[in-house]
Amino acid sequence: QVQLVESGGGLVQAGGSLRLSCAASGRTFSSYAMGWFRQSPGKEREFVAAISWRGASTYYADSVKGRFTISRDNAKNTVYLQMNSLKPEDTAVYYCAASMVYAAVTLGPYDYWGQGTQVTVSS
């Protein structure tokens, strides 16, 4: 069992930056691939970024490629999402998720989810 707690969300102006963190409980964090997803009102939850269990492989949605960076520190049981050059369309609740299988770009393979953190980008 893994419990995930996101933090770091907030209100930022367009062009600004935020760093999200997701702290995981349990001793087996390094065994999980991790992902970030987001959901805006009236829209489905969508993939943002994912990272393999060792951090060797990363994946990004086209909409964030070149602006967002996912990373992890297995010693701290934490995964991060550095978000730069933020746009109003990045406004959403951001969720981290853990997968026992692989770093997927879809929701299905993720077994555990955090409660989400709100990111609001003003124009």
Side-chain angles (χ1 to χ4, degrees):
Q1 187 96 11
V2 176
Q3 291 186 326
L4 305 172
V5 179
E6 302 96 335
S7 61
L11 174 64
V12 64
Q13 288 188 332
S17 298
L18 281 175
R19 188 195 197 199
L20 304 184
S21 298
C22 174
S25 64
R27 300 178 180 178
T28 59
F29 174 74
S30 60
S31 300
Y32 292 87
M34 300 297 295
W36 285 97
F37 292 77
R38 66 187 182 186
Q39 188 168 19
S40 304
K43 294 187 177 181
E44 294 185 351
R45 194 170 297 189
E46 64 175 4
F47 169 75
V48 175
I51 188 167
S52 59
W53 61 283
R54 282 186 175 179
S57 299
T58 56
Y59 309 90
Y60 296 95
D62 288 343
S63 59
V64 307
K65 202 170 293 183
R67 300 188 297 122
F68 290 11
T69 303
I70 188 171
S71 62
R72 66 189 297 161
D73 185 338
N74 286 345
K76 295 183 178 180
N77 281 12
T78 303
V79 62
Y80 305 97
L81 185 67
Q82 177 67 43
M83 305 186 295
N84 299 329
S85 302
L86 283 161
K87 305 175 181 180
E89 50 263 44
D90 294 318
T91 295
V93 177
Y94 283 70
Y95 300 88
C96 72
S99 170
M100 298 176 64
V101 182
Y102 59 95
V105 301
T106 57
L107 280 70
Y110 290 91
D111 306 285
Y112 304 101
W113 293 83
Q115 82 291 345
T117 185
Q118 176 71 46
V119 172
T120 303
V121 184
S122 63
S123 57

